[in-house]
Amino acid sequence: MGLRIVVVGSGAIGTYYGAHLAHGGADVQFLMRGELSEVRHNGLYVRGRVESFRVANVTCYNSTKEIGPRDLVIVAVKATSNGDLLNLIPPLLHEQTALLTLQNGLGNEEFLAEHFGAERVLGGLCFICVNRISPTEVKAYDPGTLVIGEYIRSASRRTHAIASQFAACGIDCSVTDDLALERWRKLVWNIPFNALSVLAGGISTAEILADDGLRRATLALMDEVIDAANACGHALDKAVAQKQIKRTEKLGAFKPSTLSDWEKGKPLEIEAIWGEPLRRATAAGANVPQLEIIYALLKSLETKRKEQQSS
Amino acid sequence: MGLRIVVVGSGAIGTYYGAHLAHGGADVQFLMRGELSEVRHNGLYVRGRVESFRVANVTCYNSTKEIGPRDLVIVAVKATSNGDLLNLIPPLLHEQTALLTLQNGLGNEEFLAEHFGAERVLGGLCFICVNRISPTEVKAYDPGTLVIGEYIRSASRRTHAIASQFAACGIDCSVTDDLALERWRKLVWNIPFNALSVLAGGISTAEILADDGLRRATLALMDEVIDAANACGHALDKAVAQKQIKRTEKLGAFKPSTLSDWEKGKPLEIEAIWGEPLRRATAAGANVPQLEIIYALLKSLETKRKEQQSS
């Protein structure tokens, strides 16, 4: 069907899916910050255990004005950069342009809906473990699956068309009628692993799972998040926790994105991953003591670091 | 009555109480590690808002063999150095020598009882905020109170004699018949403040209380500790939490001892302050999710730092 696609944001997720789409022959362009010449010259590499390829010719720009209107905008910037989207997205829109956010946490569909219209918005959950190694290379620990859904309706013809485009390019993509449920399912993983990897001193998922106390804390946090999801009306099964632990055990020494951000001195997605879920859980009457403490600690760590960076 | 006293350990607590005793005219000697000449030459300074004095002549030694038997041994080393006491204490003992541990956390009386006989052992809780500024100087944020009690019996003539000796030297010292209850009362403070000061990125008690999230986490942790104390059979009142918060608000930018240890690269008293209380709480069936997570995080931080120090 030939969707004209643009990927906004060139972190691990944007690069991985964009490279897959390009490799599969889709019409995809990239908005990237910073220096483009390296990507234009070297292309993009995806390296993984089950997939390894190079995209030689990458169409990338520094400005969305150079790109112009597209059919599908894949939003893959950090949630902490959502403010930038107010300027970045308008040049990409025609009347039917769909906005698919692949961002972490809660609140991103709401942000896009508020500024660009709810009917445009879809969300995708990347149950995947990828790290960006350099501007031209991502390492895939686990190709995983992508689950996409509409923000304000059940899956439609549009949703299936987008999923087909992904599938045609070798991405395991499925469609959900309940995007919010899938968002909470992903949080069951992100809330413990992304937090503990930073708070415990900069450690990988393998180190978290090898430490009895942190493993118990991970399971307890997963339980809290599942209870919170249920309190918020999303019927998430308790068995999700053990399934995710088993999957994570196969990853090896994977660094969650928040640890990568922390090590690079970048802002952490604290409100999207912990703040908004905590607020919704509390409003729904859920008891989430461990989520409360890790949220407070992460906020303080980031504040402290900003003070140090500016002094 | 002229107790012959020795203070073993020259951190903030040992120096503060030892200096007070010496200043009040008690017969007190100090076991100190490292260089003694500075203390012998300059004396010891206590500086605080409500008390400031210097002890000019300090009798201090590097070895307890030079000191010989005393009537009262004040144990003020870090709980992480308890192993050293096996060699340090025997030269100080005569048949009636009493051992008073002023250490933090749970398990210290048990350790002394096991190795030197339970009948010798007393414990003291220092509800006090002091920092060691240099080998010759402690800063007192709050002179506070000292509560002492017997390990295996109610307060006896010995207990009151020791308390009188402290009181005669200007220390607000009272006697309890329930040492275990007082230990838990102190943990209500140490468990949140000592942990959060480190985990939140190296911040003072004032910064913890000024941060809404950390203040809530502090109160939630205090609540958990009070519930745990009650589950363990110690009737601690819920009102303890608010009383301690109020007292802490008056301290200003105080650094809990664990933060001082962390900044100096010293071992943290993790098992005494968090590990042993957690084990006793769990054995008594208490639900302590926040205590579990901060214990796991502190252990991991320390392990990670040891790896970095040794590499």
Side-chain angles (χ1 to χ4, degrees):
Chain A
M1 65 161 278
L3 283 174
R4 290 167 305 158
I5 303 173
V6 57
V7 177
V8 175
S10 55
I13 292 289
T15 304
Y16 176 78
Y17 286 112
H20 252 294
L21 290 166
H23 188 59
D27 173 358
V28 59
Q29 303 191 340
F30 294 80
L31 177 82
M32 295 179 172
R33 294 181 200 227
E35 193 52 70
L36 303 177
S37 57
E38 193 179 345
V39 175
R40 285 177 176 155
H41 188 258
N42 296 329
L44 291 174
Y45 291 83
V46 170
R47 301 195 201 269
R49 277 176 305 184
V50 297
E51 51 181 350
S52 258
F53 59 85
R54 175 181 176 229
V55 180
N57 296 308
V58 178
T59 314
C60 52
Y61 300 95
N62 259 327
S63 152
T64 50
K65 287 191 192 113
E66 294 179 67
I67 298 173
R70 307 291 284 176
D71 304 317
L72 173 64
V73 179
I74 296 178
V75 178
V77 299
K78 294 279 170 193
T80 48
S81 298
N82 277 352
D84 299 346
L85 298 175
L86 300 181
N87 291 321
L88 292 175
I89 286 186
L92 303 173
L93 299 180
H94 58 58
E95 271 200 6
Q96 302 297 321
T97 299
L99 303 175
L100 170 65
T101 163
L102 299 184
Q103 298 165 289
N104 268 324
L106 300 183
N108 298 305
E109 285 93 0
E110 288 80 351
F111 178 87
L112 295 173
E114 184 189 340
H115 295 285
F116 306 108
E119 67 287 349
R120 292 188 188 275
V121 180
L122 301 94
L125 284 306
C126 315
F127 295 96
I128 183 180
C129 293
V130 289
N131 282 163
R132 184 171 178 265
I133 305 298
S134 79
T136 59
E137 188 175 350
V138 290
K139 179 174 175 185
Y141 286 75
D142 172 359
T145 61
L146 174 64
V147 180
I148 67 172
E150 297 281 336
Y151 174 50
I152 50 162
R153 61 177 78 91
S154 303
S156 66
R157 212 161 60 170
R158 171 175 80 172
T159 332
H160 288 283
I162 295 170
S164 298
Q165 174 78 81
F166 278 110
C169 296
I171 297 161
D172 179 354
C173 181
S174 59
V175 161
T176 179
D177 282 330
D178 191 346
L179 181 60
L181 177 69
E182 297 308 312
R183 284 233 163 260
W184 280 96
R185 190 191 306 278
K186 179 119 201 273
L187 287 170
V188 171
W189 196 94
N190 286 131
I191 283 178
F193 283 110
N194 287 42
L196 298 180
S197 65
V198 172
L199 293 173
I203 64 178
S204 71
T205 53
E207 289 172 288
I208 290 171
L209 292 177
D211 177 310
D212 282 348
L214 293 176
R215 191 188 180 97
R216 267 198 308 277
T218 300
L219 278 163
L221 269 161
M222 286 180 160
D223 240 40
E224 277 192 19
V225 179
I226 294 168
D227 286 344
N230 292 337
C232 292
H234 311 296
L236 208 51
D237 196 282
K238 284 278 184 188
V240 168
Q242 282 300 345
K243 272 189 212 162
Q244 293 197 353
I245 294 279
K246 275 194 187 149
R247 202 189 114 228
T248 309
E249 279 172 338
K250 295 184 194 144
L251 294 180
F254 176 65
K255 278 188 190 178
S257 60
T258 308
L259 177 56
S260 297
D261 292 340
W262 177 254
E263 290 180 343
K264 291 172 190 158
K266 288 187 183 175
L268 310 183
E269 295 179 304
I270 294 179
E271 294 310 321
I273 302 180
W274 298 277
E276 190 59 23
L278 173 59
R279 286 185 285 275
R280 295 193 194 178
T282 306
N287 185 33
V288 286
Q290 294 200 331
L291 175 54
E292 283 201 56
I293 202 166
I294 62 174
Y295 170 63
L297 288 173
L298 287 166
K299 276 213 303 185
S300 174
L301 274 187
E302 177 157 73
T303 303
K304 194 78 190 163
R305 193 181 58 175
K306 277 184 193 157
E307 285 169 15
Q308 286 163 351
Q309 285 171 340
S310 67
S311 70
Chain B
M1 65 161 279
L3 283 173
R4 291 168 303 158
I5 302 171
V6 57
V7 177
V8 176
S10 55
I13 292 289
T15 304
Y16 177 78
Y17 285 113
H20 252 293
L21 290 166
H23 187 58
D27 174 359
V28 59
Q29 303 191 340
F30 294 81
L31 176 82
M32 295 178 173
R33 296 180 198 225
E35 193 51 69
L36 303 176
S37 56
E38 192 178 345
V39 175
R40 285 178 177 154
H41 188 259
N42 295 329
L44 291 174
Y45 291 84
V46 170
R47 300 195 203 270
R49 278 176 305 182
V50 299
E51 52 181 349
S52 258
F53 60 85
R54 173 183 176 224
V55 180
N57 296 308
V58 178
T59 314
C60 52
Y61 300 95
N62 260 327
S63 150
T64 50
K65 289 192 191 112
E66 294 178 68
I67 297 173
R70 308 291 285 175
D71 304 317
L72 174 63
V73 179
I74 297 177
V75 178
V77 299
K78 294 279 170 193
T80 47
S81 298
N82 277 351
D84 299 346
L85 297 174
L86 300 181
N87 291 322
L88 291 174
I89 285 186
L92 302 172
L93 299 179
H94 58 57
E95 271 201 5
Q96 303 297 321
T97 299
L99 303 176
L100 170 64
T101 162
L102 300 185
Q103 298 165 289
N104 268 324
L106 300 183
N108 298 305
E109 285 93 1
E110 288 79 353
F111 177 86
L112 294 174
E114 185 189 341
H115 294 285
F116 306 109
E119 68 287 348
R120 292 189 188 274
V121 180
L122 302 95
L125 285 306
C126 314
F127 295 97
I128 186 181
C129 292
V130 290
N131 283 163
R132 185 170 176 265
I133 305 298
S134 79
T136 60
E137 188 176 350
V138 289
K139 179 173 174 185
Y141 286 76
D142 172 359
T145 62
L146 175 63
V147 180
I148 68 172
E150 297 281 339
Y151 174 49
I152 50 162
R153 62 177 76 90
S154 303
S156 67
R157 213 161 59 168
R158 171 175 79 170
T159 333
H160 288 283
I162 295 170
S164 297
Q165 175 76 80
F166 277 110
C169 295
I171 296 160
D172 179 355
C173 181
S174 60
V175 161
T176 180
D177 282 330
D178 191 347
L179 181 61
L181 177 68
E182 297 308 312
R183 284 233 163 260
W184 278 95
R185 190 190 306 279
K186 179 118 202 275
L187 287 170
V188 171
W189 197 94
N190 285 131
I191 283 178
F193 283 110
N194 288 42
L196 298 180
S197 65
V198 173
L199 293 173
I203 65 178
S204 71
T205 54
E207 288 172 288
I208 290 171
L209 292 177
D211 178 311
D212 282 349
L214 293 175
R215 190 187 181 96
R216 268 198 308 276
T218 300
L219 278 163
L221 269 161
M222 286 181 160
D223 241 40
E224 277 191 20
V225 179
I226 294 169
D227 286 344
N230 291 337
C232 292
H234 310 295
L236 208 52
D237 196 281
K238 285 277 184 188
V240 168
Q242 282 299 345
K243 272 188 210 160
Q244 294 197 354
I245 294 279
K246 274 194 187 148
R247 204 188 113 229
T248 309
E249 279 172 339
K250 294 182 193 145
L251 295 180
F254 175 67
K255 278 187 191 178
S257 60
T258 308
L259 178 55
S260 298
D261 292 339
W262 177 254
E263 290 180 343
K264 291 171 190 158
K266 289 187 183 174
L268 310 184
E269 295 178 304
I270 294 179
E271 294 311 321
I273 301 181
W274 298 277
E276 189 59 23
L278 173 59
R279 286 184 286 274
R280 295 194 194 177
T282 305
N287 184 32
V288 286
Q290 293 200 332
L291 174 54
E292 284 200 57
I293 201 166
I294 61 174
Y295 170 64
L297 289 173
L298 287 166
K299 276 212 303 185
S300 173
L301 275 187
E302 177 156 71
T303 303
K304 194 79 191 165
R305 194 181 57 177
K306 277 184 194 156
E307 286 170 13
Q308 285 164 352
Q309 284 170 341
S310 67
S311 70

